[in-house]
PDB file of all heavy atoms in Angstrom:
ATOM      1  N   ASN A  54     -50.274 126.807 180.518  1.00 87.00           N
ATOM      2  CA  ASN A  54     -50.029 125.322 180.438  1.00 87.00           C
ATOM      3  C   ASN A  54     -51.089 124.506 181.050  1.00 87.00           C
ATOM      4  O   ASN A  54     -51.396 123.356 180.586  1.00 87.00           O
ATOM      5  CB  ASN A  54     -48.664 125.070 181.209  1.00 87.00           C
ATOM      6  CG  ASN A  54     -47.432 125.659 180.453  1.00 87.00           C
ATOM      7  OD1 ASN A  54     -47.445 125.688 179.224  1.00 87.00           O
ATOM      8  ND2 ASN A  54     -46.436 126.008 181.170  1.00 87.00           N
ATOM      9  N   PRO A  92     -83.551 107.880 188.079  1.00 70.00           N
ATOM     10  CA  PRO A  92     -83.819 107.615 186.687  1.00 70.00           C
ATOM     11  C   PRO A  92     -84.673 108.728 186.070  1.00 70.00           C
ATOM     12  O   PRO A  92     -85.360 109.455 186.719  1.00 70.00           O
ATOM     13  CB  PRO A  92     -84.629 106.360 186.711  1.00 70.00           C
ATOM     14  CG  PRO A  92     -85.250 106.346 188.133  1.00 70.00           C
ATOM     15  CD  PRO A  92     -84.265 107.021 189.000  1.00 70.00           C
ATOM     16  N   GLU A 233    -104.226 117.398 169.254  1.00 75.00           N
ATOM     17  CA  GLU A 233    -105.191 118.234 170.004  1.00 75.00           C
ATOM     18  C   GLU A 233    -104.553 119.653 170.358  1.00 75.00           C
ATOM     19  O   GLU A 233    -105.245 120.617 170.566  1.00 75.00           O
ATOM     20  CB  GLU A 233    -105.579 117.569 171.332  1.00 75.00           C
ATOM     21  CG  GLU A 233    -106.465 116.338 171.123  1.00 75.00           C
ATOM     22  CD  GLU A 233    -105.602 115.162 170.663  1.00 75.00           C
ATOM     23  OE1 GLU A 233    -104.361 115.141 170.882  1.00 75.00           O
ATOM     24  OE2 GLU A 233    -106.132 114.206 170.098  1.00 75.00           O
TER      25      GLU A 233
END
Side-chain angles (χ1 to χ4, degrees):
N54 291 330
E233 293 77 19

